[in-house]
Amino acid sequence: MDDRRRALEAAHAAALGFLDGLDERPVWPRAGFEDMLAVFGDDLPAEGADAAAVVTDLAARADPGLVAIPGGRFFGFVIGGTLPAALAADWLVSAWDQNSGSSTMTTATVALERVAGRWVCDLMGLPEDAAVGWVTGAQMSNFVCLAVAQHAVLRRVGWDLTRRGLRGAPALRLVVGRHRHGSIDRAARFSGIGAEELVVVDTDEEGRMLPAALAQALGAGADTPTIVCLQAGEVHTGAFDPFEELIPLARAAGAWVHIDGAFGLWAAATPGLRHLAAGVAGADSWTTDAHKTLNVPYDCGMAIIRDPADAIAMFRTGGDYLMYTSLDPWDVNPELSRRGRGVPAWAALRSLGRRGVADLVDRLHAHARRLEAGLRRIDGVTVVNDVVYTQVMFRLDDDDATRALGAAILADGTAALTGAEWDGHATLRCSMSSWATTQDDIDRTIEAIARLVAERRPR
Ligand SMILES: *Cc1c(COP(=O)(O)O)cnc(C)c1O
């Protein structure tokens, strides 16, 4: 066997070994970062080594520092698992090594991405001829969408950002909710918009933007180029902004509307939860992730722009966009060379079908409701949010006790979840994002939390 075949077979064996062991291993890693640095930290050897041996060795050494993210009981942050078809397609993407920037050269991968983008827009009720940029995640998507939006709203008042830059440009308003995701602030910063320039609109107790507050914020500067940034799926509560009320207000003010729906937009793909996302189609741009709810391996996000000409105007490399009729990946993406990261999304969607996507999202919601019900039965536990979607947040009466419980859950290893501050209190948050989660996983998690809470209760 040649080196390549043996290296791939070593990777195949190590991957299956890890995946087959997910149910037994503690969810949180056994080794800390300093331990792992010590494991890998020897000097670069002068001589090379056999490819298969390198792969087997790295997999063995990495093992204690791996998180059971693709398993059924990882509920931290908002992080999906990996569907089998998506994982296998991701291996192909690496084997093919297609630099997927141009539809003239890498025709297969760019076509797969184009079709997958259309499927997602169709599932979410968004315009199917929108431009879709396959980026690394929602952070980069928010950056792409805000950059395109900034260019478009300035162009409407006669300022071409691509020629004249931002210095000296007319004033611009970026209107955001108080509970926006932190990646919006970073995306704004990358686009030259500072934190103190943001117009922050108040939200309700679940983190939803208040229409009256938006109306008031917009009223203050009628002729200013404006971008309104809304949210589908607050990262702690899972709450959705009331789009049907907010978008007409933004439209009346001539604003560009962007929706960050990293995991929330997927609610639109199932009849049972579609009401949460009602009105999203009225926006100009949308952010979503494939590596969260769709369970595609990292990294895979989507920037969706209603009018492809707006994306081209910002991102095309050279030339007058009006001379072009086609759309290349680099027209909707700050990257030039790039992997065909939309291909695993195509495989995920093809393996699920329309019904499978709806079932997946419904199941994640059902898990959230089951977990909520179980938590409510534990003495001393308060569920903090209205569980409308996939997020469940809870706490104990005392903040230090809540934090200690969070640490105890990670040390116990049955499940993993992460903490946050909400409404002035320490809370623990659980995100149902993995296709691999079963009812049994939820029940085992509830049992573990009940046991750890009881152990901590003063006698
Ligand atoms: C996760 C998340 C992001 C950031 O997404 P990445 O994929 O980590 O870049 C942005 N917005 C929301 C609402 C999110 O949940």
Side-chain angles (χ1 to χ4, degrees):
M1 286 195 295
D2 64 12
D3 277 2
R4 183 168 63 203
R5 180 170 298 272
R6 288 191 306 110
L8 286 173
E9 284 173 357
H12 185 228
L16 289 179
F18 171 69
L19 295 172
D20 289 345
L22 281 171
D23 207 41
E24 276 80 52
R25 70 158 55 224
V27 179
W28 206 247
R30 301 187 294 285
F33 178 59
E34 294 301 327
D35 302 324
M36 292 313 297
L37 278 181
V39 164
F40 294 123
D42 33 13
D43 290 337
L44 178 63
E47 304 302 329
D50 172 70
V54 168
V55 171
T56 301
D57 172 54
L58 89 81
R61 285 205 261 172
D63 194 75
L66 295 177
V67 191
I69 287 175
R73 292 184 306 283
F74 181 90
F75 306 120
F77 309 100
V78 180
I79 294 186
T82 303
L83 285 161
L87 171 58
D90 197 60
W91 287 358
L92 278 183
V93 170
S94 290
W96 289 344
D97 195 24
Q98 306 288 289
N99 182 346
S100 303
S102 156
S103 57
T104 311
M105 178 174 75
T106 48
T107 56
T109 52
V110 177
L112 282 159
E113 290 189 329
R114 182 69 56 83
V115 171
R118 194 152 39 75
W119 285 352
V120 170
C121 290
D122 177 26
L123 283 170
M124 293 176 174
L126 307 182
E128 286 184 48
D129 52 359
V132 175
W134 292 92
V135 291
T136 51
Q139 168 70 78
M140 283 308 288
S141 171
N142 281 329
F143 167 61
V144 166
C145 294
L146 289 190
V148 169
Q150 178 166 245
H151 180 34
V153 298
L154 286 174
R155 199 176 40 182
R156 283 179 208 156
V157 294
W159 185 270
D160 182 351
L161 177 63
T162 63
R163 289 191 298 115
R164 305 175 72 184
L166 264 184
R167 274 169 292 271
L172 175 147
R173 293 185 301 181
L174 177 56
V175 181
V176 299
R178 190 159 64 85
H179 279 97
R180 67 199 175 277
H181 191 270
S183 60
I184 295 290
D185 299 56
R186 292 181 82 223
R189 199 189 310 161
F190 305 161
S191 300
I193 303 172
E196 289 172 11
E197 294 181 274
L198 300 180
V199 179
V200 181
V201 177
D202 210 7
T203 46
D204 69 10
E205 70 288 350
E206 297 289 321
R208 292 172 294 224
M209 190 184 281
L210 293 165
L214 177 64
Q216 199 180 7
L218 289 171
D223 299 326
T224 315
T226 302
I227 302 166
V228 174
C229 194
L230 306 179
Q231 181 164 259
E234 203 281 336
V235 77
H236 305 302
T237 63
F240 291 67
D241 281 341
F243 304 107
E244 286 178 312
E245 291 173 76
L246 298 172
I247 292 179
L249 293 172
R251 284 266 168 263
W256 176 289
V257 179
H258 172 64
I259 297 177
D260 178 2
F263 62 102
L265 270 179
W266 294 91
T270 173
L273 295 169
R274 192 166 290 152
H275 60 277
L276 295 169
V280 291
D284 299 288
S285 60
W286 302 264
T287 279
T288 198
D289 265 326
H291 58 213
K292 290 179 178 172
T293 315
L294 187 59
N295 281 261
V296 165
Y298 279 88
D299 39 35
C300 194
M302 302 173 71
I304 306 174
I305 312 284
R306 174 183 293 279
D307 185 347
D310 287 327
I312 290 169
M314 184 63 201
F315 283 109
R316 176 154 288 179
T317 61
D320 180 341
Y321 72 89
L322 292 174
M323 291 171 58
Y324 297 83
T325 53
S326 80
L327 184 71
D328 289 303
W330 55 49
D331 291 330
V332 206
N333 199 319
E335 296 169 0
L336 213 48
S337 293
R338 56 182 295 278
R339 74 190 266 106
R341 69 170 66 82
V343 174
W346 184 94
L349 292 163
R350 181 64 193 87
S351 75
L352 292 169
R354 190 180 295 275
R355 196 195 318 269
V357 174
D359 286 350
L360 170 60
V361 181
D362 286 340
R363 208 162 66 236
L364 298 177
H365 175 58
H367 290 328
R369 296 304 301 265
R370 189 177 183 89
L371 180 64
E372 177 199 7
L375 289 171
R376 286 193 191 282
R377 286 193 300 269
I378 303 173
D379 206 20
V381 168
T382 305
V383 173
V384 175
N385 65 314
D386 185 9
V387 183
V388 294
Y389 189 48
T390 55
Q391 308 300 104
V392 185
M393 208 164 31
F394 68 99
R395 61 178 171 86
L396 304 176
D397 291 339
D398 175 80
D399 285 352
D400 287 338
T402 302
R403 289 192 200 99
L405 175 63
I409 291 168
L410 296 185
D412 172 73
T414 306
L417 43 90
T418 49
E421 286 280 319
W422 184 264
D423 205 16
H425 284 290
T427 61
L428 296 171
R429 44 190 297 289
C430 313
S431 172
M432 301 298 119
S433 303
S434 175
W435 75 285
T437 301
T438 62
Q439 273 194 9
D440 183 54
D441 287 318
I442 300 299
D443 294 343
R444 283 169 67 181
T445 300
I446 295 166
E447 275 166 35
I449 295 172
R451 169 168 48 76
L452 293 166
V453 169
E455 281 171 11
R456 269 159 180 68
R457 197 170 290 137
R459 289 162 192 268

